PDB file of all heavy atoms in Angstrom:
ATOM      1  N   ASN A  76      24.700  -0.779 -17.454  1.00  0.00           N
ATOM      2  CA  ASN A  76      24.709  -1.664 -16.284  1.00  0.00           C
ATOM      3  C   ASN A  76      23.613  -2.730 -16.334  1.00  0.00           C
ATOM      4  O   ASN A  76      23.458  -3.510 -15.403  1.00  0.00           O
ATOM      5  CB  ASN A  76      24.615  -0.865 -14.990  1.00  0.00           C
ATOM      6  CG  ASN A  76      23.268  -0.212 -14.775  1.00  0.00           C
ATOM      7  OD1 ASN A  76      22.330  -0.384 -15.552  1.00  0.00           O
ATOM      8  ND2 ASN A  76      23.162   0.570 -13.710  1.00  0.00           N
ATOM      9  N   GLY A  77      22.841  -2.775 -17.425  1.00  0.00           N
ATOM     10  CA  GLY A  77      21.843  -3.814 -17.607  1.00  0.00           C
ATOM     11  C   GLY A  77      20.544  -3.637 -16.848  1.00  0.00           C
ATOM     12  O   GLY A  77      19.686  -4.508 -16.900  1.00  0.00           O
ATOM     13  N   THR A  78      20.336  -2.522 -16.170  1.00  0.00           N
ATOM     14  CA  THR A  78      19.116  -2.324 -15.383  1.00  0.00           C
ATOM     15  C   THR A  78      18.027  -1.566 -16.128  1.00  0.00           C
ATOM     16  O   THR A  78      16.924  -1.412 -15.618  1.00  0.00           O
ATOM     17  CB  THR A  78      19.413  -1.575 -14.071  1.00  0.00           C
ATOM     18  OG1 THR A  78      19.938  -0.284 -14.392  1.00  0.00           O
ATOM     19  CG2 THR A  78      20.395  -2.352 -13.208  1.00  0.00           C
ATOM     20  N   ALA A  79      18.345  -1.090 -17.319  1.00  0.00           N
ATOM     21  CA  ALA A  79      17.395  -0.291 -18.086  1.00  0.00           C
ATOM     22  C   ALA A  79      17.728  -0.440 -19.570  1.00  0.00           C
ATOM     23  O   ALA A  79      18.753  -1.028 -19.935  1.00  0.00           O
ATOM     24  CB  ALA A  79      17.468   1.175 -17.660  1.00  0.00           C
ATOM     25  N   PHE A  80      16.855   0.114 -20.407  1.00  0.00           N
ATOM     26  CA  PHE A  80      17.157   0.151 -21.835  1.00  0.00           C
ATOM     27  C   PHE A  80      16.494   1.376 -22.458  1.00  0.00           C
ATOM     28  O   PHE A  80      15.533   1.925 -21.928  1.00  0.00           O
ATOM     29  CB  PHE A  80      16.723  -1.142 -22.547  1.00  0.00           C
ATOM     30  CG  PHE A  80      15.248  -1.397 -22.556  1.00  0.00           C
ATOM     31  CD1 PHE A  80      14.450  -0.980 -23.608  1.00  0.00           C
ATOM     32  CD2 PHE A  80      14.645  -2.079 -21.506  1.00  0.00           C
ATOM     33  CE1 PHE A  80      13.092  -1.224 -23.619  1.00  0.00           C
ATOM     34  CE2 PHE A  80      13.280  -2.339 -21.508  1.00  0.00           C
ATOM     35  CZ  PHE A  80      12.503  -1.898 -22.570  1.00  0.00           C
ATOM     36  N   GLY A  81      17.035   1.797 -23.590  1.00  0.00           N
ATOM     37  CA  GLY A  81      16.508   2.934 -24.324  1.00  0.00           C
ATOM     38  C   GLY A  81      15.926   2.483 -25.644  1.00  0.00           C
ATOM     39  O   GLY A  81      16.298   1.434 -26.179  1.00  0.00           O
ATOM     40  N   THR A  82      15.012   3.296 -26.165  1.00  0.00           N
ATOM     41  CA  THR A  82      14.362   2.989 -27.434  1.00  0.00           C
ATOM     42  C   THR A  82      14.321   4.234 -28.309  1.00  0.00           C
ATOM     43  O   THR A  82      14.360   5.360 -27.813  1.00  0.00           O
ATOM     44  CB  THR A  82      12.915   2.504 -27.221  1.00  0.00           C
ATOM     45  OG1 THR A  82      12.178   3.526 -26.529  1.00  0.00           O
ATOM     46  CG2 THR A  82      12.869   1.220 -26.422  1.00  0.00           C
ATOM     47  N   GLY A  83      14.207   4.011 -29.607  1.00  0.00           N
ATOM     48  CA  GLY A  83      14.004   5.091 -30.563  1.00  0.00           C
ATOM     49  C   GLY A  83      12.889   4.702 -31.504  1.00  0.00           C
ATOM     50  O   GLY A  83      12.826   3.558 -31.964  1.00  0.00           O
ATOM     51  N   SER A  84      11.990   5.645 -31.806  1.00  0.00           N
ATOM     52  CA  SER A  84      10.767   5.307 -32.527  1.00  0.00           C
ATOM     53  C   SER A  84      10.451   6.297 -33.640  1.00  0.00           C
ATOM     54  O   SER A  84      10.948   7.435 -33.648  1.00  0.00           O
ATOM     55  CB  SER A  84       9.604   5.287 -31.523  1.00  0.00           C
ATOM     56  OG  SER A  84       8.357   5.193 -32.164  1.00  0.00           O
ATOM     57  N   ASP A  85       9.572   5.872 -34.537  1.00  0.00           N
ATOM     58  CA  ASP A  85       9.053   6.757 -35.573  1.00  0.00           C
ATOM     59  C   ASP A  85       8.153   7.840 -35.000  1.00  0.00           C
ATOM     60  O   ASP A  85       7.772   8.765 -35.714  1.00  0.00           O
ATOM     61  CB  ASP A  85       8.281   5.951 -36.626  1.00  0.00           C
ATOM     62  CG  ASP A  85       9.195   5.264 -37.625  1.00  0.00           C
ATOM     63  OD1 ASP A  85      10.380   5.645 -37.723  1.00  0.00           O
ATOM     64  OD2 ASP A  85       8.728   4.335 -38.311  1.00  0.00           O
ATOM     65  N   ASP A  86       7.794   7.768 -33.711  1.00  0.00           N
ATOM     66  CA  ASP A  86       6.990   8.827 -33.085  1.00  0.00           C
ATOM     67  C   ASP A  86       7.856  10.018 -32.652  1.00  0.00           C
ATOM     68  O   ASP A  86       7.387  10.905 -31.951  1.00  0.00           O
ATOM     69  CB  ASP A  86       6.157   8.290 -31.926  1.00  0.00           C
ATOM     70  CG  ASP A  86       6.975   7.821 -30.723  1.00  0.00           C
ATOM     71  OD1 ASP A  86       8.197   8.052 -30.671  1.00  0.00           O
ATOM     72  OD2 ASP A  86       6.373   7.204 -29.824  1.00  0.00           O
ATOM     73  N   SER A  87       9.122  10.028 -33.065  1.00  0.00           N
ATOM     74  CA  SER A  87      10.076  11.121 -32.799  1.00  0.00           C
ATOM     75  C   SER A  87      10.550  11.186 -31.354  1.00  0.00           C
ATOM     76  O   SER A  87      11.056  12.222 -30.919  1.00  0.00           O
ATOM     77  CB  SER A  87       9.501  12.485 -33.205  1.00  0.00           C
ATOM     78  OG  SER A  87       9.138  12.492 -34.555  1.00  0.00           O
ATOM     79  N   SER A  88      10.390  10.108 -30.609  1.00  0.00           N
ATOM     80  CA  SER A  88      10.852  10.130 -29.220  1.00  0.00           C
ATOM     81  C   SER A  88      11.810   8.987 -28.936  1.00  0.00           C
ATOM     82  O   SER A  88      11.738   7.923 -29.545  1.00  0.00           O
ATOM     83  CB  SER A  88       9.665  10.042 -28.241  1.00  0.00           C
ATOM     84  OG  SER A  88       9.104   8.743 -28.235  1.00  0.00           O
ATOM     85  N   CYS A  89      12.705   9.261 -27.994  1.00  0.00           N
ATOM     86  CA  CYS A  89      13.508   8.224 -27.348  1.00  0.00           C
ATOM     87  C   CYS A  89      12.887   8.051 -25.965  1.00  0.00           C
ATOM     88  O   CYS A  89      12.398   9.016 -25.373  1.00  0.00           O
ATOM     89  CB  CYS A  89      14.962   8.660 -27.185  1.00  0.00           C
ATOM     90  SG  CYS A  89      15.893   8.812 -28.714  1.00  0.00           S
ATOM     91  N   ARG A  90      12.926   6.839 -25.473  1.00  0.00           N
ATOM     92  CA  ARG A  90      12.368   6.581 -24.146  1.00  0.00           C
ATOM     93  C   ARG A  90      13.339   5.723 -23.353  1.00  0.00           C
ATOM     94  O   ARG A  90      14.117   4.966 -23.921  1.00  0.00           O
ATOM     95  CB  ARG A  90      11.007   5.910 -24.245  1.00  0.00           C
ATOM     96  CG  ARG A  90       9.996   6.844 -24.928  1.00  0.00           C
ATOM     97  CD  ARG A  90       8.667   6.210 -25.158  1.00  0.00           C
ATOM     98  NE  ARG A  90       7.852   7.075 -26.000  1.00  0.00           N
ATOM     99  CZ  ARG A  90       6.705   7.628 -25.633  1.00  0.00           C
ATOM    100  NH1 ARG A  90       6.211   7.393 -24.430  1.00  0.00           N
ATOM    101  NH2 ARG A  90       6.023   8.394 -26.457  1.00  0.00           N
ATOM    102  N   LEU A  91      13.254   5.861 -22.039  1.00  0.00           N
ATOM    103  CA  LEU A  91      14.087   5.087 -21.125  1.00  0.00           C
ATOM    104  C   LEU A  91      13.169   4.255 -20.238  1.00  0.00           C
ATOM    105  O   LEU A  91      12.264   4.790 -19.590  1.00  0.00           O
ATOM    106  CB  LEU A  91      14.952   6.024 -20.276  1.00  0.00           C
ATOM    107  CG  LEU A  91      15.931   5.385 -19.304  1.00  0.00           C
ATOM    108  CD1 LEU A  91      16.971   4.533 -20.031  1.00  0.00           C
ATOM    109  CD2 LEU A  91      16.632   6.475 -18.477  1.00  0.00           C
ATOM    110  N   TYR A  92      13.386   2.953 -20.255  1.00  0.00           N
ATOM    111  CA  TYR A  92      12.592   2.014 -19.463  1.00  0.00           C
ATOM    112  C   TYR A  92      13.485   1.379 -18.406  1.00  0.00           C
ATOM    113  O   TYR A  92      14.606   0.975 -18.704  1.00  0.00           O
ATOM    114  CB  TYR A  92      12.008   0.915 -20.356  1.00  0.00           C
ATOM    115  CG  TYR A  92      11.007   1.413 -21.359  1.00  0.00           C
ATOM    116  CD1 TYR A  92      11.404   1.871 -22.603  1.00  0.00           C
ATOM    117  CD2 TYR A  92       9.649   1.416 -21.065  1.00  0.00           C
ATOM    118  CE1 TYR A  92      10.479   2.324 -23.540  1.00  0.00           C
ATOM    119  CE2 TYR A  92       8.711   1.859 -21.989  1.00  0.00           C
ATOM    120  CZ  TYR A  92       9.137   2.318 -23.220  1.00  0.00           C
ATOM    121  OH  TYR A  92       8.230   2.764 -24.140  1.00  0.00           O
ATOM    122  N   ASP A  93      12.984   1.281 -17.184  1.00  0.00           N
ATOM    123  CA  ASP A  93      13.729   0.696 -16.076  1.00  0.00           C
ATOM    124  C   ASP A  93      13.184  -0.695 -15.778  1.00  0.00           C
ATOM    125  O   ASP A  93      11.989  -0.856 -15.529  1.00  0.00           O
ATOM    126  CB  ASP A  93      13.616   1.587 -14.837  1.00  0.00           C
ATOM    127  CG  ASP A  93      14.579   1.180 -13.741  1.00  0.00           C
ATOM    128  OD1 ASP A  93      14.548   0.002 -13.320  1.00  0.00           O
ATOM    129  OD2 ASP A  93      15.352   2.036 -13.297  1.00  0.00           O
ATOM    130  N   LEU A  94      14.055  -1.710 -15.797  1.00  0.00           N
ATOM    131  CA  LEU A  94      13.623  -3.083 -15.535  1.00  0.00           C
ATOM    132  C   LEU A  94      13.224  -3.292 -14.084  1.00  0.00           C
ATOM    133  O   LEU A  94      12.385  -4.142 -13.783  1.00  0.00           O
ATOM    134  CB  LEU A  94      14.735  -4.065 -15.914  1.00  0.00           C
ATOM    135  CG  LEU A  94      15.174  -4.046 -17.374  1.00  0.00           C
ATOM    136  CD1 LEU A  94      16.271  -5.069 -17.608  1.00  0.00           C
ATOM    137  CD2 LEU A  94      14.004  -4.275 -18.302  1.00  0.00           C
ATOM    138  N   ARG A  95      13.820  -2.529 -13.172  1.00  0.00           N
ATOM    139  CA  ARG A  95      13.489  -2.686 -11.757  1.00  0.00           C
ATOM    140  C   ARG A  95      12.128  -2.085 -11.431  1.00  0.00           C
ATOM    141  O   ARG A  95      11.421  -2.552 -10.549  1.00  0.00           O
ATOM    142  CB  ARG A  95      14.572  -2.032 -10.894  1.00  0.00           C
ATOM    143  CG  ARG A  95      15.950  -2.652 -11.106  1.00  0.00           C
ATOM    144  CD  ARG A  95      17.055  -1.748 -10.635  1.00  0.00           C
ATOM    145  NE  ARG A  95      16.994  -0.493 -11.397  1.00  0.00           N
ATOM    146  CZ  ARG A  95      17.830   0.510 -11.244  1.00  0.00           C
ATOM    147  NH1 ARG A  95      18.785   0.434 -10.355  1.00  0.00           N
ATOM    148  NH2 ARG A  95      17.720   1.599 -11.973  1.00  0.00           N
ATOM    149  N   ALA A  96      11.756  -1.032 -12.149  1.00  0.00           N
ATOM    150  CA  ALA A  96      10.465  -0.372 -11.920  1.00  0.00           C
ATOM    151  C   ALA A  96       9.366  -0.931 -12.826  1.00  0.00           C
ATOM    152  O   ALA A  96       8.197  -0.592 -12.644  1.00  0.00           O
ATOM    153  CB  ALA A  96      10.601   1.129 -12.159  1.00  0.00           C
ATOM    154  N   TYR A  97       9.746  -1.758 -13.800  1.00  0.00           N
ATOM    155  CA  TYR A  97       8.794  -2.345 -14.749  1.00  0.00           C
ATOM    156  C   TYR A  97       8.025  -1.293 -15.543  1.00  0.00           C
ATOM    157  O   TYR A  97       6.855  -1.492 -15.872  1.00  0.00           O
ATOM    158  CB  TYR A  97       7.782  -3.266 -14.043  1.00  0.00           C
ATOM    159  CG  TYR A  97       8.394  -4.473 -13.405  1.00  0.00           C
ATOM    160  CD1 TYR A  97       8.667  -4.480 -12.035  1.00  0.00           C
ATOM    161  CD2 TYR A  97       8.704  -5.602 -14.145  1.00  0.00           C
ATOM    162  CE1 TYR A  97       9.235  -5.588 -11.437  1.00  0.00           C
ATOM    163  CE2 TYR A  97       9.271  -6.720 -13.551  1.00  0.00           C
ATOM    164  CZ  TYR A  97       9.534  -6.700 -12.200  1.00  0.00           C
ATOM    165  OH  TYR A  97      10.093  -7.798 -11.603  1.00  0.00           O
ATOM    166  N   GLN A  98       8.680  -0.158 -15.848  1.00  0.00           N
ATOM    167  CA  GLN A  98       7.963   0.894 -16.564  1.00  0.00           C
ATOM    168  C   GLN A  98       8.905   1.903 -17.206  1.00  0.00           C
ATOM    169  O   GLN A  98      10.097   1.926 -16.929  1.00  0.00           O
ATOM    170  CB  GLN A  98       7.015   1.626 -15.625  1.00  0.00           C
ATOM    171  CG  GLN A  98       7.710   2.381 -14.516  1.00  0.00           C
ATOM    172  CD  GLN A  98       6.709   3.001 -13.555  1.00  0.00           C
ATOM    173  OE1 GLN A  98       5.518   3.076 -13.830  1.00  0.00           O
ATOM    174  NE2 GLN A  98       7.182   3.456 -12.412  1.00  0.00           N
ATOM    175  N   GLN A  99       8.301   2.730 -18.041  1.00  0.00           N
ATOM    176  CA  GLN A  99       9.019   3.848 -18.641  1.00  0.00           C
ATOM    177  C   GLN A  99       9.320   4.868 -17.549  1.00  0.00           C
ATOM    178  O   GLN A  99       8.443   5.195 -16.751  1.00  0.00           O
ATOM    179  CB  GLN A  99       8.136   4.484 -19.718  1.00  0.00           C
ATOM    180  CG  GLN A  99       8.722   5.733 -20.335  1.00  0.00           C
ATOM    181  CD  GLN A  99       7.735   6.358 -21.295  1.00  0.00           C
ATOM    182  OE1 GLN A  99       7.326   5.726 -22.255  1.00  0.00           O
ATOM    183  NE2 GLN A  99       7.350   7.593 -21.029  1.00  0.00           N
TER     184      GLN A  99
END
Side-chain angles (χ1 to χ4, degrees):
N76 70 4
T78 62
F80 65 93
T82 59
S84 170
D85 280 343
D86 67 9
S87 303
S88 72
C89 291
R90 296 175 189 242
L91 183 62
Y92 295 88
D93 191 304
L94 300 180
R95 299 161 300 181
Y97 296 99
Q98 65 184 347
Q99 175 185 301

